[in-house]
Amino acid sequence: MTITIGQVMDRLLEQTPLIEPTVDSLRAGSAQKEVKGIVVVFMATQAVIERAASLGANLIITHEGTFYRHQENMQGAQDDPVIYEKYNLIDRSGIAIYRYHDHIHRSKPDGITLGLINALGWSPYVEEHLPAATIVQIPCMTLERTVQYLKEKLQIAFVRVVGEREMPCSRIGLLAGYRGGAALVLPLLMDYNLDLIIAGEGPEWETPEYVRDAVHQGRNKAFIALGHAESEEPGMKELAERLREQFPALPVHFIREKPLFFVM
Amino acid sequence: MTITIGQVMDRLLEQTPLIEPTVDSLRAGSAQKEVKGIVVVFMATQAVIERAASLGANLIITHEGTFYRHQENMQGAQDDPVIYEKYNLIDRSGIAIYRYHDHIHRSKPDGITLGLINALGWSPYVEEHLPAATIVQIPCMTLERTVQYLKEKLQIAFVRVVGEREMPCSRIGLLAGYRGGAALVLPLLMDYNLDLIIAGEGPEWETPEYVRDAVHQGRNKAFIALGHAESEEPGMKELAERLREQFPALPVHFIREKPLFFVM
């Protein structure tokens, strides 16, 4: 039985009410084409596209934009040699690229956050799912031990931390992606009496500086920046597992990119 | 001779045409009061305010907002215990806080970027000052050596890097603060044929992912995230030096905060 790209897209969009406007759409390729194989990623990097081609996959489902901007406004960008080469690779390979960002975030609960919680083994500790964060209360660990636990479970090389190593952590707000800003996090810290915020990324002068002041005031607060990709990859990995069940005849690969940054 | 807070503010604003709207204003205290001493900082943290009080200073000039948001909209924020305690400390200490952000950035060249260039000893290598970036062409070093040089000159504990350690770096775009995004950086990389971008911070899925792809395509590109405070402190330190010359009768202290993050 032939499965088209459009059918896979329809299946993805079945999960949640349709959002308008949305960045979720087919950015390259045609919905009518038959799917040979699917690659699911946080971001369709140059290396991911090459790898998808070598795996014989012709549909990439990516969370973030392929061309380095959320809205992927391509005006003038075609003159850029990096973008031009990537664009040509996509064209040549005939691989379709579907952006799946808003709808997975708006699932109830947020499919990206849920992936992170499951990867951490913290689903038994969920207290409340909010639209852009989940509150968990875990058995108490020091901040240092919590960091070790995160790095081990998520297999990440480093995280950035504000707080005191020996601080006890139990009540935690988890915010995958770029949700570490003050507007979202400060009310959470207060209303849910949280010890620790674990976010993908966010502006440094907002929540991290708030936590620095809170610590100086003698409060039990800490902040961990996991990295944007590191916080959202588990949710995309779970999506790949769901697609494998929904389309058992199709090869579905999750590709985890190498770490974006190294620390020196 | 008495010098008022208002006179110091006037002196700061003499350097550049007035900007409207602006976040630069007296956030606490009165312009009529006599200045006893000035503390200049990247950010007026709880620890900085306590230190200013112990130094007998009654005017803090801060680059970033005291209450963790660029616009410092305080609606509802007074319920927050951390903000409340900080607010009370400011009130009790009688220290005035002047935000000096937009006008120093709009100096020609940008006073914050210039501080960074001088701290790096790169002023002989400036090719062009743009409004939000400076292009330098330095004697060629590997990326690894460039990172060591930055860490040594700026006395910073770590930076985050995208690129290959052995890559030669010569043509560099410097962007202090939160200017690492794609809209600003991608045209620079192309138009000025840059090897390396050194920024304070910026969204991870934009420029860093672009550089990752460029490297995978075999191009000589790299990206270094210094940290927001780390990139802007040298400019505020130079401001303190200028104020010391302009007001020789006043004690002027530059306070450098401890690093915001540690890496684990």
Side-chain angles (χ1 to χ4, degrees):
Chain A
M1 199 187 71
T2 300
I3 298 158
T4 65
I5 289 171
Q7 285 171 316
V8 175
M9 285 161 51
D10 288 346
R11 187 53 87 86
L12 289 172
L13 296 175
E14 262 174 35
Q15 327 283 323
T16 40
L18 286 181
I19 299 165
E20 280 294 345
T22 178
V23 295
D24 295 0
S25 67
L26 196 61
R27 301 294 173 136
S30 150
Q32 278 73 50
K33 242 184 160 176
E34 183 185 348
V35 180
K36 305 285 186 191
I38 302 175
V39 159
V40 180
V41 285
F42 167 71
M43 187 157 169
T45 62
Q46 184 88 11
V48 156
I49 299 165
E50 290 172 1
R51 181 90 187 284
S54 77
L55 287 165
N58 66 342
L59 171 60
I60 295 176
I61 299 172
T62 181
H63 188 62
E64 294 299 347
T66 306
F67 293 103
Y68 327 112
R69 301 197 197 184
H70 186 61
Q71 296 296 342
E72 297 183 75
N73 176 352
M74 295 295 289
Q75 238 180 348
Q78 302 280 350
D79 295 336
D80 186 299
V82 177
I83 291 176
Y84 183 80
E85 187 168 333
K86 192 172 188 181
Y87 187 88
N88 270 350
L89 169 67
I90 295 166
D91 200 44
R92 227 171 35 238
S93 67
I95 292 175
I97 298 186
Y98 182 69
R99 175 91 183 270
Y100 188 55
H101 180 276
D102 299 341
H103 288 82
I104 191 167
H105 274 308
R106 300 276 189 95
S107 299
K108 291 194 171 168
D110 179 328
I112 294 291
T113 308
L114 204 56
L116 180 59
I117 293 164
N118 291 336
L120 293 172
W122 284 355
S123 57
Y125 307 124
V126 169
E127 185 177 295
E128 192 174 345
H129 290 297
L130 301 163
T134 291
I135 310 298
V136 298
Q137 175 155 350
I138 63 164
C140 196
M141 296 191 275
T142 63
L143 178 59
E144 184 159 25
R145 181 71 199 100
T146 308
V147 168
Q148 285 161 350
Y149 183 87
L150 292 170
K151 286 172 63 180
E152 204 180 289
K153 285 285 181 183
L154 303 178
Q155 287 293 299
I156 50 185
F158 74 93
V159 297
R160 290 179 300 154
V161 185
V162 184
E164 291 179 342
R165 286 169 195 266
E166 291 311 307
M167 186 198 117
C169 298
S170 172
R171 296 190 56 72
I172 302 175
L174 278 165
L175 302 100
Y178 199 98
R179 285 171 171 166
L184 195 57
V185 173
L186 269 49
L188 283 186
L189 274 165
M190 181 169 65
D191 296 345
Y192 291 88
N193 190 28
L194 302 179
D195 308 319
L196 170 64
I197 294 292
I198 300 174
E201 61 169 324
E204 296 177 8
W205 73 95
E206 292 193 2
T207 307
E209 290 285 359
Y210 173 95
V211 169
R212 183 216 290 265
D213 276 351
V215 171
H216 189 81
Q217 290 174 359
R219 297 174 202 276
N220 198 63
K221 305 285 171 197
F223 178 86
I224 298 173
L226 287 180
H228 195 130
E230 288 78 0
S231 75
E232 297 202 311
E233 273 171 343
M236 292 305 279
K237 191 174 175 208
E238 279 199 352
L239 172 65
E241 287 157 15
R242 280 198 299 280
L243 287 169
R244 231 169 260 142
E245 286 164 22
Q246 291 166 339
F247 299 100
L250 287 179
V252 179
H253 315 271
F254 171 74
I255 297 179
R256 185 174 185 184
E257 250 292 4
K258 277 175 278 185
L260 179 58
F261 291 104
F262 63 92
V263 159
M264 250 188 86
Chain B
M1 200 187 72
T2 300
I3 297 158
T4 65
I5 289 171
Q7 284 170 315
V8 175
M9 284 161 51
D10 289 346
R11 187 53 87 88
L12 289 172
L13 295 176
E14 263 172 34
Q15 326 284 324
T16 39
L18 286 181
I19 299 165
E20 280 293 347
T22 178
V23 295
D24 295 0
S25 68
L26 196 61
R27 300 295 173 136
S30 150
Q32 278 74 49
K33 243 185 161 176
E34 183 186 348
V35 181
K36 304 287 188 191
I38 302 175
V39 159
V40 180
V41 285
F42 168 71
M43 188 157 168
T45 62
Q46 185 89 11
V48 156
I49 299 165
E50 291 171 2
R51 181 89 187 284
S54 78
L55 288 165
N58 66 343
L59 171 60
I60 295 176
I61 300 172
T62 181
H63 188 63
E64 293 300 346
T66 306
F67 293 104
Y68 326 112
R69 300 195 198 185
H70 185 61
Q71 296 296 341
E72 297 183 76
N73 177 352
M74 295 294 290
Q75 238 182 348
Q78 302 280 351
D79 295 336
D80 185 298
V82 177
I83 290 176
Y84 183 80
E85 187 169 333
K86 192 173 187 180
Y87 187 87
N88 271 349
L89 169 66
I90 295 166
D91 201 43
R92 227 171 36 241
S93 67
I95 293 176
I97 298 186
Y98 181 69
R99 175 92 183 270
Y100 188 55
H101 179 275
D102 298 342
H103 288 82
I104 190 166
H105 275 308
R106 299 277 189 95
S107 298
K108 291 193 172 173
D110 179 328
I112 293 292
T113 308
L114 204 57
L116 180 59
I117 291 164
N118 290 335
L120 293 172
W122 285 354
S123 56
Y125 307 124
V126 169
E127 183 177 295
E128 190 174 346
H129 290 296
L130 301 164
T134 291
I135 310 300
V136 298
Q137 174 154 351
I138 64 164
C140 195
M141 295 191 278
T142 64
L143 178 60
E144 184 158 27
R145 181 70 199 103
T146 308
V147 168
Q148 286 161 350
Y149 183 87
L150 293 170
K151 288 172 63 180
E152 205 179 288
K153 285 285 179 182
L154 304 177
Q155 288 292 300
I156 50 186
F158 74 92
V159 297
R160 291 179 299 154
V161 186
V162 185
E164 291 179 343
R165 287 170 195 264
E166 291 311 309
M167 185 198 118
C169 298
S170 173
R171 296 190 55 74
I172 302 176
L174 279 165
L175 302 99
Y178 199 97
R179 287 171 170 167
L184 196 56
V185 174
L186 268 47
L188 284 186
L189 275 166
M190 182 169 62
D191 297 345
Y192 291 88
N193 189 28
L194 302 179
D195 307 319
L196 169 65
I197 293 294
I198 300 174
E201 62 170 323
E204 295 178 8
W205 73 95
E206 292 192 3
T207 307
E209 290 284 0
Y210 173 95
V211 169
R212 183 216 289 265
D213 276 351
V215 171
H216 189 80
Q217 290 174 0
R219 296 174 203 275
N220 197 62
K221 304 286 170 196
F223 178 86
I224 298 172
L226 286 179
H228 195 130
E230 288 77 3
S231 74
E232 296 201 313
E233 273 170 343
M236 292 306 279
K237 191 174 176 212
E238 278 199 354
L239 172 65
E241 288 155 16
R242 280 198 298 280
L243 287 168
R244 229 169 260 142
E245 286 165 22
Q246 289 166 339
F247 299 101
L250 287 179
V252 180
H253 314 271
F254 171 75
I255 298 179
R256 184 176 184 181
E257 252 289 6
K258 278 175 277 186
L260 178 59
F261 291 104
F262 63 91
V263 159
M264 251 186 87

